[in-house]
Amino acid sequence: MPEENKILVILDLDETLIHATRNPLYENWDFELFNYKIFIRPHLHVFLSFLKDNFDVAVWSSASDDYVTKVVEEIFPDDYGLKFVWGRTKCTYKPDYSKAEEIGYFDYYSHFEYIKILKKVTKKFPYTKEQILIIDDTPRKAMYNFGNAIYPSEFNGDKNDNELELLVNYLETFKDISNVRTIEKRNWRDVLK
Ligand SMILES: [Mg+2]
């Protein structure tokens, strides 16, 4: 496939590739950053090299920009060639009415969330909506582009987690296709059975 037709995979960080916490459930975190203990999700190395060989790759997290830059420096090889690294300032700040429904009122101070809108990517980079996959543990972050999203389980620091290995197998399906949106992704683990 010619270089310019590669699928772009946009990766979330927290609970997708790493787990950062002040109160770890497990021992042996991998590194510390801004007073957080950070666990790297098992099989990250295999996952990242598989992606590099088959896709274009970028990072987009709703965490603060400086945190995102530092985490990326820690977990990606220097020559990895990420197409972009975006943090919170590229997200869109939206009211989250579902939280208000839970408690019965809307609180202007806490019921907002940062979401990722793909149009920002297609405006700036030469990919169409059909050529972009988002991998994010939080479905609401990709609520306007669910046809592009794959939702892994939340990583909480468990060393036995094998989600990234499963994702490598699943992503084989997407290597040579022209429209990622035609593939149903909601029950992606079932395809592996
Ligand atoms: Mg996340």
Side-chain angles (χ1 to χ4, degrees), residues 23-65:
N23 305 301
L25 286 175
Y26 302 92
E27 296 292 318
N28 304 320
W29 46 89
D30 294 287
F31 61 99
E32 293 189 30
L33 191 64
F34 304 124
N35 293 324
Y36 287 96
K37 321 272 192 240
I38 304 201
F39 295 84
I40 292 177
R41 195 165 209 167
H43 314 288
L44 181 70
H45 180 75
V46 173
F47 180 66
L48 293 186
S49 26
F50 166 79
L51 289 183
K52 186 178 162 72
D53 290 345
N54 298 288
F55 300 96
D56 287 343
V57 187
V59 166
W60 194 359
S61 159
S62 56
S64 66
D65 293 10

Side-chain angles (χ1 to χ4, degrees), residues 1 3 11 34-35 45 49 52 67 74 93-94 97 100 109 117 126 133 138 142 156 159 169 174 192:
M1 205 174 237
E3 198 71 7
L11 300 169
F34 304 124
N35 293 324
H45 180 75
S49 26
K52 186 178 162 72
Y67 169 88
E74 288 279 349
Y93 198 46
K94 278 262 175 210
Y97 295 110
Y109 294 98
I117 297 183
L133 280 172
T138 308
N156 65 0
K159 295 280 177 207
N169 293 335
F174 291 88
L192 304 174

Side-chain angles (χ1 to χ4, degrees), residues 10 60 86 90-92 94 114-123 127-136 138-151 179-183 185-186:
I10 302 178
W60 194 359
W86 281 1
K90 296 288 186 188
C91 292
T92 303
K94 278 262 175 210
Y114 292 97
I115 63 164
K116 302 166 188 179
I117 297 183
L118 274 193
K119 213 183 264 174
K120 291 203 177 179
V121 177
T122 53
K123 259 188 183 168
Y127 303 95
T128 64
K129 212 165 61 171
E130 289 72 28
Q131 296 172 304
I132 303 178
L133 280 172
I134 303 178
I135 300 183
D136 198 316
T138 308
R140 291 191 59 81
K141 302 272 179 190
M143 62 199 278
Y144 290 108
N145 307 102
F146 64 88
N148 297 82
I150 299 170
Y151 310 122
N179 183 358
V180 303
R181 294 169 60 84
T182 58
I183 300 182
K185 304 168 201 67
R186 271 173 294 190

Side-chain angles (χ1 to χ4, degrees), residues 12-17 61-62 116 136-138 141 154:
D12 173 48
L13 292 179
D14 284 310
E15 281 70 53
T16 295
L17 301 186
S61 159
S62 56
K116 302 166 188 179
D136 198 316
D137 64 289
T138 308
K141 302 272 179 190
E154 261 180 40

